[in-house]
Amino acid sequence: MARRRQIFEGKAKVIFEGPEPGTIVQHFKDDASAFNAKKIGTITGKGVINNRISEHLMTKLGDIGIPTHFMRRLNMREQLVREVEIIPIEVVVRNIVAGSLAKRFGMPEGTPLPRSIIETYYKSSELDDPMINEEHITAFGWATPPELDEMMSLTLRINDFMSGLFLGVGIRLVDFKLEFGRLWEDDQMRIVLADEISPDNCRFWDTKTDEKMDKDRFRDDMGGVEEAYQEVARRLGILPESGPTDMKGPELMQ
Ligand code: UDP
């Protein structure tokens, strides 16, 4: 079998050319990085779990009418997605104070926010992803005002939907990061959700115990990283417990 052409290798994924024009394959690795790759490690099984979680969330978001790049999962570690032109902006949504927000403003982690805060960062590891606002985005031509409006309105819908979905399985969606892309169909362009949604780019806290169930366990050497990722998948009802036929529904919490 001919080897696929690798397009790009990132910190957590390898991107290959897809089988048809306009498609690409996302391969999820177990490699983990934090603090702009100053800390590097492995989370065994992470790639398999993130592939499943991202498939699940993108599919559910598609079901409520959010356009996404996701097409289908190919195997344990790979999914087929539409090739999009990635907009070089990281959109971060926050519902509860944590991480860099807590540091920047000296606020205690866990403070609920009276309304969700959306922040934007310029995707550049050389520059350490600097925070930017609408002025930078439009002045530097990273996105047009209508594109930005569309990204913001999709982000709010995604936040509402995901907050409810996770609350239903006993998980608080503290904050998360999204990326969007331009999907060209003939001469029409649509903004679609791209990249992945997983415990690598979300903060998840158990509603009862406030236990962290995300990459913060790796960032802060807390241990139990693999188990936390698995637990998120298990609660969503997508972790086979003894084999691929043993798929349970979501773990509804009272
Ligand atoms: N995040 C991400 N990629 C980044 C920066 C942040 O996925 O390059 C996610 C992170 O996992 C968290 C949210 O965005 O869920 C907010 O991150 P924060 O700004 O607090 O930065 P961090 O603490 O990750 O440095």
Side-chain angles (χ1 to χ4, degrees):
M1 199 174 84
R3 274 189 67 78
R4 295 166 303 178
R5 195 170 72 84
Q6 182 177 314
I7 299 173
F8 175 77
E9 176 153 14
K11 294 169 207 150
K13 293 194 287 292
V14 188
I15 307 297
F16 295 99
E17 213 167 56
E20 301 123 40
T23 65
I24 56 173
V25 174
Q26 292 198 132
H27 176 104
F28 289 73
K29 301 188 286 183
D30 286 350
D31 298 352
S33 70
F35 312 116
N36 199 15
K38 286 183 211 57
K39 175 169 180 161
I40 289 175
T42 303
I43 304 174
T44 309
K46 171 173 84 82
V48 173
I49 289 189
N50 283 359
N51 188 24
R52 289 295 270 119
I53 292 179
S54 200
E55 171 197 19
H56 183 74
L57 295 174
M58 293 269 181
T59 305
K60 294 265 177 212
L61 287 166
D63 289 346
I64 63 153
I66 303 284
T68 82
H69 73 160
F70 182 80
M71 294 172 76
R72 63 178 182 276
R73 187 165 60 83
L74 297 172
N75 54 51
M76 298 281 273
R77 285 187 184 268
E78 294 178 333
Q79 52 181 243
L80 187 68
V81 301
R82 289 188 200 285
E83 185 174 22
V84 299
E85 191 182 300
I86 289 285
I87 295 171
I89 298 171
E90 301 196 337
V91 180
V92 167
V93 190
R94 302 178 181 278
N95 299 308
I96 297 174
V97 175
S100 70
L101 184 72
K103 241 181 253 141
R104 218 174 319 126
F105 297 103
M107 280 183 187
E109 276 223 328
T111 313
L113 292 165
R115 46 170 284 191
S116 305
I117 293 178
I118 303 186
E119 296 170 346
T120 46
Y121 295 84
Y122 180 50
K123 247 171 89 76
S124 162
S125 356
E126 298 90 75
L127 301 173
D128 241 342
D129 295 352
M131 194 191 231
I132 50 175
N133 65 24
E134 193 177 338
E135 300 284 314
H136 304 103
I137 295 172
T138 52
F140 293 129
W142 294 321
T144 63
E147 286 173 342
L148 197 53
D149 283 352
E150 177 69 0
M151 285 162 65
M152 294 300 131
S153 87
L154 289 173
T155 297
L156 290 174
R157 288 176 64 199
I158 294 168
N159 185 41
D160 281 349
F161 180 77
M162 292 221 314
S163 293
L165 183 100
F166 280 102
L167 210 54
V169 298
I171 295 175
R172 241 188 286 282
L173 181 61
V174 174
D175 57 30
F176 60 100
K177 186 260 301 183
L178 299 175
E179 291 186 28
F180 293 92
R182 296 183 185 93
L183 177 63
W184 294 92
E185 281 163 331
D186 302 320
D187 55 357
Q188 295 276 30
M189 188 276 292
R190 269 195 308 157
I191 299 291
V192 304
L193 179 64
D195 193 45
E196 67 173 282
I197 312 180
S198 71
D200 267 9
N201 43 42
C202 301
R203 283 197 170 92
F204 295 130
W205 294 356
D206 184 277
T207 43
K208 288 211 178 101
T209 64
D210 274 342
E211 201 174 329
K212 295 185 175 179
M213 305 170 71
D214 54 59
K215 207 167 81 173
D216 271 352
R217 300 197 77 88
F218 168 77
R219 288 189 186 98
D220 302 335
D221 295 316
M222 297 169 74
V225 190
E226 284 85 2
E227 293 78 3
Y229 277 63
Q230 275 173 31
E231 179 60 14
V232 174
R234 194 190 65 80
R235 295 233 188 138
L236 290 171
I238 53 176
L239 183 74
E241 281 178 11
S242 61
T245 50
D246 181 22
M247 299 290 273
K248 295 232 167 70
E251 283 281 303
L252 289 175
M253 307 300 263
Q254 302 304 319

